[in-house]
Amino acid sequence: MRLLFLGDMVGKTGRTAVWQRLPGLISDLKLDFVIVNGENAAGGFGITEDIFLETINAGADVVTTGNHVWDQKEAVSFCERHDQFLRPANYPAGTPGKGSGIFYARNGARILVANIMGRVFMHPELDDPFKSAEAILDACPLKEQADAVVFDFHAEATSEKQCFGHFVDGRASFVVGTHTHVPTADHQILNGGTAYMSDAGMCGDYDSSLGMEKEEPLNRFISKMPKGRFEAAHGPATICGVGVEISDRTGLAEKIAPLRLGARLAETLPEFWR
């Protein structure tokens, strides 16, 4: 089974690039399942229902989020209408929407996707991500109720991300980090068979500060005084993500490689899909 994860879409340039390229990627790479993180898709802050639906129409099977999930007020209502929209599962009980679910891949496989948010340097500080993941896995074990298990771990600290990967190693097919908007070079298969990457990177303009026009962030580092608002950068986007090949027999990873397409970073496609 072939699964593609695309990192945080940032602003119009990021989401438009994903919408334009994703249908072709699904066809050319014979993808069975696609997950896209959309928490920065609306001007860099949150996601609207229209953007969510357009991302699904482009071929995404699930849209995950993170700490910016509620930045657009309409998300509080539309999250209840769409099973394919996930907010972090470790929000307190009673929070609108859901943090995990079972979805069906194009080959008929049952995919458990869970969105978890870390707590180190993150706001708001949510419930224990490790306990939340344990409860999700207990309710839907790999190769029992699910043919594959994927975690989007939305967190700042790479140490927390790595420890989470080791925590679910052998019980999940794939753990991918989001939030930092910078693709890491540590894609690997852990000892127990779980594919892991600390951060998938973003889908957005890399001539920026994390997808934002660089002048205002730079000003705040130098002067410590705001002069204006952060605005999403509008230059040509690079799509960043990671591809994983998962065993139909075991539900564990067999191959992993980054995907980068666009104007700024060196392009790469998973060699095993060429």
Side-chain angles (χ1 to χ4, degrees):
M1 175 168 52
R2 292 180 170 184
L3 183 146
L4 178 66
F5 184 96
L6 296 182
D8 311 42
M9 294 188 297
V10 181
K12 183 177 181 179
T13 189
R15 67 180 188 255
T16 301
V18 170
W19 296 344
Q20 290 175 344
R21 297 295 297 267
L22 185 53
L25 289 171
I26 292 170
S27 175
D28 295 344
L29 302 179
K30 299 178 173 60
L31 299 175
D32 296 301
F33 200 77
V34 177
I35 304 167
V36 179
N37 186 291
E39 74 142 9
N40 299 117
F45 301 96
I47 184 170
T48 65
E49 187 170 22
D50 286 345
I51 292 172
F52 163 76
L53 291 173
E54 193 72 31
T55 306
I56 295 296
N57 290 338
D61 296 287
V62 177
V63 174
T64 55
T65 56
N67 59 302
H68 289 290
V69 60
W70 311 124
D71 283 7
Q72 302 294 322
K73 292 181 180 180
E74 66 183 86
V76 175
S77 58
F78 85 72
C79 70
E80 301 278 14
R81 296 194 289 269
H82 301 291
D83 288 341
Q84 293 163 286
F85 180 83
L86 298 183
R87 46 83 173 158
N90 50 330
Y91 266 97
T95 301
K98 65 177 191 174
S100 64
I102 289 282
F103 307 92
Y104 287 89
R106 291 166 184 80
N107 66 347
R110 302 163 300 170
I111 314 294
L112 169 63
V113 182
N115 195 179
I116 301 281
M117 197 164 101
R119 297 202 293 185
V120 179
F121 308 128
M122 296 293 289
H123 301 281
E125 186 173 307
L126 303 186
D127 296 341
D128 186 336
F130 295 88
K131 288 183 178 179
S132 296
E134 191 71 58
I136 290 168
L137 291 170
D138 284 347
C140 191
L142 180 63
K143 297 311 294 180
E144 293 183 23
Q145 280 79 36
D147 299 305
V149 174
V150 180
F151 284 97
D152 173 350
F153 193 70
H154 195 81
E156 181 76 29
T158 51
S159 58
E160 189 181 22
K161 292 179 177 183
Q162 288 177 345
C163 284
F164 184 85
H166 293 303
F167 179 70
V168 300
D169 187 20
R171 300 186 291 164
S173 311
F174 180 32
V175 172
V176 59
T178 54
H179 180 67
T180 70
H181 294 196
V182 177
T184 55
D186 62 338
H187 55 280
Q188 60 184 295
I189 297 176
L190 303 177
N191 293 339
T194 297
Y196 173 85
M197 187 174 183
S198 289
D199 204 287
M202 70 174 180
C203 298
D205 179 7
Y206 276 83
D207 183 16
S208 67
S209 174
L210 306 183
M212 297 290 146
E213 294 287 359
K214 52 185 178 285
E215 288 75 17
E216 180 58 18
L218 182 58
N219 162 68
R220 294 190 191 187
F221 278 115
I222 294 171
S223 72
K224 311 302 180 186
M225 294 288 291
K227 288 184 178 178
R229 299 190 306 171
F230 284 8
E231 301 284 349
H234 294 92
T238 298
I239 294 173
C240 283
V242 56
V244 178
E245 201 155 281
I246 298 169
S247 168
D248 294 331
R249 181 180 61 85
T250 66
L252 297 172
E254 295 181 326
K255 298 174 183 177
I256 180 172
L259 178 144
R260 292 169 198 153
L261 299 170
R264 198 79 182 177
L265 305 185
E267 292 201 352
T268 178
L269 276 172
E271 288 292 335
F272 49 89
W273 288 352
R274 289 185 186 274

